[in-house]
Amino acid sequence: MVENGVDETEGVGGAGHRVDEERLARTRTGGIWVSVVVAAVVLVFLLVFILQNSDGVTVHFLWMAGNLPLGVAMLFAVLAGALLVALVGTARILQLRRSAKHRARKQK
């Protein structure tokens, strides 16, 4: 649209750049920055959860027993679950890599 003799798509000084053309490509550093901000927010929520659940509980595991704050006990449970998922995921990734190598060898 031309208003007062200036075309809005030309930009300042008639450079010919549109607003959507000036959009920068995403970079790894930008992705890392977003990940750090999200991790910091999750950490704040986690700390608030642990501080609000500081009542002691008795935890029994196999032949052991001990007293821990409830928030810490739940944190250990979440970490154990995450490690289990990571172990299964790693096994699957290794299986897929091995399968891809065998397919690549057969195609040669």
Side-chain angles (χ1 to χ4, degrees):
M1 178 175 166
V2 177
E3 186 175 310
N4 296 332
V6 177
D7 188 359
E8 292 178 4
T9 61
E10 288 184 7
V12 177
H17 294 291
R18 293 183 149 202
V19 175
D20 56 8
E21 291 177 13
E22 294 178 9
R23 185 175 181 169
L24 297 175
R26 293 184 181 186
T27 62
R28 289 183 186 176
T29 307
I32 291 172
W33 176 249
V34 171
S35 299
V36 167
V37 170
V38 169
V41 170
V42 169
L43 181 62
V44 167
F45 281 119
L46 185 63
L47 289 173
V48 169
F49 174 78
I50 289 173
L51 291 173
Q52 287 182 343
N53 292 289
S54 60
D55 297 335
V57 294
T58 302
V59 178
H60 300 276
F61 182 70
L62 298 177
W63 60 88
M64 299 175 288
N67 289 324
L68 289 172
L70 177 61
V72 175
M74 292 181 74
L75 178 63
F76 283 148
V78 168
L79 289 176
L83 289 174
L84 183 63
V85 168
L87 181 67
V88 171
T90 301
R92 179 65 177 151
I93 288 170
L94 293 174
Q95 181 185 34
L96 290 172
R97 284 184 182 174
R98 193 175 320 126
S99 175
K101 283 182 183 179
H102 288 302
R103 287 183 189 160
R105 287 180 188 163
K106 286 182 180 180
Q107 289 179 356
K108 286 185 179 182

